[in-house]
Amino acid sequence: MAPHDIELRRGRYAKLDAPAEDDYATPTRRSFDSNDSSLEDLEEFDPLNYDAGTLKQKRSTGDLRARRASFKKAEFVSEKAQQRRKCTPSRLCGGLVLLFVAATVLLLSAGGIWAWKSAPENGLSPPWYPTPKGGTDAAWGESYKKAAALVKQMTLVEKVNITTGTGWSMQMCVGNTGPVPRLKFPALCLQDGPLGIRFADNITAFPAGITVGATWNKELMYQRGRAHGLEARLKGIHVLLGPAMGPLGRLPAGGRNFEGFGTDPVLQGVAAAQTIKGIQSEGVMATAKHYILNEQEHFRQAWEWGTPNAISSNIDDRTLHEIYAWPFAESVRAGVASIMCSYNQVNNSYACQNSKLMNGLLKDELGFQGFVQSDWLAQRSGVASALAGLDMTMPGDGLKWANGNSLWGPQLTRAVLNGSVPMERVDDMVTRIVAAWYQVGQDRWRLQPPFGKGGPTFSSWTDEEIGLLHPGSDDKTTGVVNKFINVQGEGDDFHGNLVRRIAAEGTVLVKNENNFLPLNRNGWKEHEKAGKEMNYRVGVFGEDARLNREGLNVCPDQSCNEGTLASGWGSGAVDFPYLIEPVSALRAAFNNESVYVTDWLENKLPKEKEILEDQDVCIVFANADAGEGYLSFEKIRGDRNDLFLQKNGDKLIQEVATGCGRGNGSVVVVIHTVGPVILEKWIDHPSIKAVVIANLPGQESGNSLVDILFGDINPSGRLPYTIAKKEEDYGPDSKVKYLPNPLDGLVPQQNFSDGLYIDYRYLDKHDITPRYEFGYGLSYTTFHLSSLLITAKGPKTPFPAPRPSGLEPPSYSTEIPDPKTALVPEGFRKLSKYIYPYLDSIDDIKKPEVQTSQLQSPLSPAGGAQGGNPDLYTTMITVSASVTNIGVVDGDCVVQLYIAFPKNYKDDESGETVDFPVRVLRGFEKLHVEAVQDGPIQGVKGSEHGGGGNKKMVTFDVTRKDLSYWDTKRQNWVMPTSGDFGIFVGLSSRNLPLEGRW
Ligand code: BGC
Ligand code: BGC
């Protein structure tokens, strides 16, 4: 499939996208905020709005060691990057040449067939200029007015200070911007991440995104966002670096899929939007990341994997719209304040300087009003990224970590003064950031020192109370950096309760033969008891049932798979405040007068098999871990190497299944995993009665598992991905690219030639039977669906209404300021490696004579408001159905709506057939439906209600966008008006009892 079907304007694009000379000049450093945080102010700090939980609790774990280790890693990366900094694709030099000569010789001698391409292809991604200005959407109108009033008063250096991070580990958070003390605009604190607050104490380790996706519960998605946002606010964090919705999960082994919500754009989009609304309801800016197509860890970043450039994800325009950009569109529609552009390239242009993606898709078509920040070191050019729509560079460092050489900072100042970047663009960057700050109400937060006592209440860099204020610099000033504020909530609002609920609802029961589960706390169930004199004997097996014996937080960013798995690793992991061990929770749940529990908490079973043979029931645990690519564990460099259980998990399960009760025992398998795992080696074993996929539960692991196994909560988790029978069943394009192909030249290439056909869309198309399909999961009760009703709200029409015109964005003087205003003021104290906006000298700056105006790319007919043309979200049909609980216990039912586009549909104008997936998810609702009467299943609570109420109605609003495809020629969403849509309502992507047409 060819990249974008849009006409390319090669020459102009190539020029804009090429790093400008300026980007590589050595910047100068000077102090901007010489009178920043005084020791006294920090010490007197007392937390805003929060008295209840201000317990002063010090962390007792060995986290610091871990922190340091991960920091070291960053430094190591930088060293490498530095040596090779100037060796950009366009100028091969010294070591690099040698490297490639060596590689060439090696390849030749190995007899490989290869071709050599000396430079990455340019111009494969269409240009889109200039950057659309923020301030066009009425929902942000007030915030933009206020922002404009403030920005009007700022000088150029003050503006630049807001756009540029101060450098890795220069202040308390993983990202920190420069303040404008004169106008009391604060330094913003940006902190990871999607499942809790990284590098912080007394916080909550929530279930990972994938577990949240598996709940299919919109309310819980919102509540988790809200609790997370509250924790961030109380720690003084302005911008939370989550939720993650890219990677979407195209590659089942992708290392960071666990941070997102599942391999479907609608599930991912709903969960992302709910999370964002939750976070921002607490006054904290959310970040939708990673924009976009960062589907694998290998080669995600230049130099991190030895290649001079990051991988290029090559995609066609339709797939981009219908799959990967969809959750971002939903995020923008939810009003997200920030979006993080990703490390990788897209169609051979870095995501953080890709004008089609940022200017075109995000800011024009999707009407994004907030600001785009770069992933950490994902910015690869100065001028080009500014013109392509980047608004903030993180962490401020440029091509390498923590050396003080920013691509912006002083370079952006210079670029404005010499006319490379229009004043308008910088004004828009700053206005977007300041407007986002107003939009969530942070102007009401307490002022930062020296005016007040606001600011972060924790340090990312130490666990001690007193620590360096600028650890990345040579400055030795210390102060109180950790306040140890407990932000975990209290009483009914204790966030652990929410964690437990989410993890239970995110646990998917995939096998339950003869209703083996739920277990009975007293052991034998009534009907099994006959003739059983002995105690009920339970054996618990596997290292995943216990804690890591070395401690909870001993590995940097959780980058090891030791003990029970409750989180993946990387920046999307946190220090566990505590972790409920599965085996202990199980022991506590069983009545120890009638149940005898033994355990073997290793994956290698002992030689003597009594422990296995003397059991009635064996509960065996196994797992599969993955994470972010800057850390690796046992040859897993971020992405998994296969889809099997790790640490001999399959073998353990097989042995337990064979040996348990001398072959007469019943086996329950519990799996903690970052994503799909292949279960075929044992799934049909006759002893294996039940299997639960518990995903990544977070800190309440054992408790949530017990809730499900004993039926305190009726399982309602559904798979947010397909579990195939073998890895090949996901399709030939579903493999991580683990090695660069010499044919790719300097940029590893990853073609998304699977197009729309990922996960269930691929298996459906090729009629491959999965082991467990997307959307699948069992309950302890049975639901019956009936009474499908499809109501049209109007006739089918092919196009959305014309794009509405928005508000006028704020305007400022476009005049280039006097360069003298950019000089470092006298007497400022400068910190080494700290990034400031000032210039040391302005001698080489020539004011441009005339500013050339740029051509305007055509505005998208699909744009016009946040999330796109508002008419795309007009309801075209409503679909309703009834759900009856025909079982004997209450339960939650996830009702899913899938749509099939008209068969053999041909485009009216061109007569070309448009290809569609068999079915696509377009909506879901989780309903609590009571049973008719109390049930005889023992151990299941919650069916006290009796009589009536066992039937509920569910309604879905189906929008124009839901019923449209992206037409690359018209550059618009088009709804087929001939032929019928198939409308399916059911309990999974392959269990769809109700079918209608429209
Ligand atoms: C940092 C992470 C970052 C990674 C990138 C690590 O040292 O802790 O925040 O994502 O480097 O390589
Ligand atoms: C990760 C981001 C993260 C950032 C800051 C990067 O390496 O990709 O997800 O937010 O580091 O830690």
Side-chain angles (χ1 to χ4, degrees), residues 161-427:
N161 216 33
I162 290 175
T163 66
T164 305
T166 55
W168 180 248
S169 70
M170 286 301 166
Q171 293 176 80
M172 298 300 109
C173 305
V174 298
N176 310 272
T177 57
V180 180
R182 190 173 64 85
L183 299 172
K184 300 195 168 67
F185 187 78
L188 300 179
C189 159
L190 295 80
Q191 192 73 5
D192 291 301
L195 68 67
I197 299 175
R198 185 186 185 199
F199 292 159
D201 58 277
N202 294 294
I203 50 87
T204 301
F206 290 96
I210 200 68
T211 315
V212 180
T215 69
W216 297 65
N217 183 328
K218 295 178 187 175
E219 176 61 18
L220 289 182
M221 293 164 176
Y222 177 83
Q223 290 303 336
R224 172 175 171 272
R226 192 198 50 78
H228 194 6
L230 174 64
E231 295 197 1
R233 174 159 61 75
L234 297 172
K235 289 284 184 189
I237 295 163
H238 298 88
V239 185
L240 252 186
L241 303 175
M245 58 207 71
L248 183 94
R250 168 180 184 248
L251 313 174
R256 298 184 78 179
N257 295 349
F258 79 90
E259 294 184 41
F261 306 100
T263 316
D264 174 272
V266 170
L267 176 58
Q268 190 82 243
V270 168
Q274 290 296 94
T275 304
I276 288 161
K277 287 180 193 161
I279 291 172
Q280 296 194 166
S281 75
E282 287 293 338
V284 170
M285 300 187 232
T287 307
K289 71 185 191 183
H290 306 84
Y291 187 74
I292 195 170
L293 309 180
N294 190 170
E295 293 291 322
Q296 67 167 53
E297 292 302 284
H298 282 73
F299 314 114
R300 66 167 185 167
Q301 221 183 334
W303 291 119
E304 195 180 52
W305 302 82
T307 56
N309 279 292
I311 194 167
S312 175
S313 297
N314 305 324
I315 196 166
D316 68 278
D317 193 29
R318 181 174 171 204
T319 304
L320 179 65
H321 277 81
E322 292 186 27
I323 305 280
Y324 301 94
W326 189 292
F328 288 96
E330 289 301 314
S331 300
V332 174
R333 208 173 144 222
V336 74
S338 182
I339 290 194
M340 184 191 288
C341 54
S342 56
Y343 283 123
N344 55 294
Q345 308 192 43
V346 174
N347 295 343
N348 289 285
S349 169
Y350 277 101
C352 289
Q353 64 191 55
N354 187 314
S355 65
K356 166 68 186 171
L357 290 177
M358 293 191 291
N359 288 344
L361 183 52
L362 194 54
K363 291 182 173 175
D364 172 51
E365 191 181 317
L366 300 182
F368 176 53
Q369 301 295 303
F371 61 93
V372 181
Q373 58 169 299
S374 69
D375 198 345
W376 272 230
L377 259 63
Q379 185 193 21
R380 306 312 289 172
S381 67
V383 172
S385 60
L387 298 181
L390 184 69
D391 301 305
M392 181 189 278
T393 175
M394 277 294 144
D397 306 314
L399 296 171
K400 63 167 282 189
W401 289 91
N403 70 346
N405 289 346
S406 185
L407 292 164
W408 280 3
Q411 301 296 11
L412 183 58
T413 305
R414 183 190 303 272
V416 171
L417 294 176
N418 72 16
S420 305
V421 172
M423 197 60 213
E424 273 185 291
R425 183 68 266 274
V426 173
D427 282 332

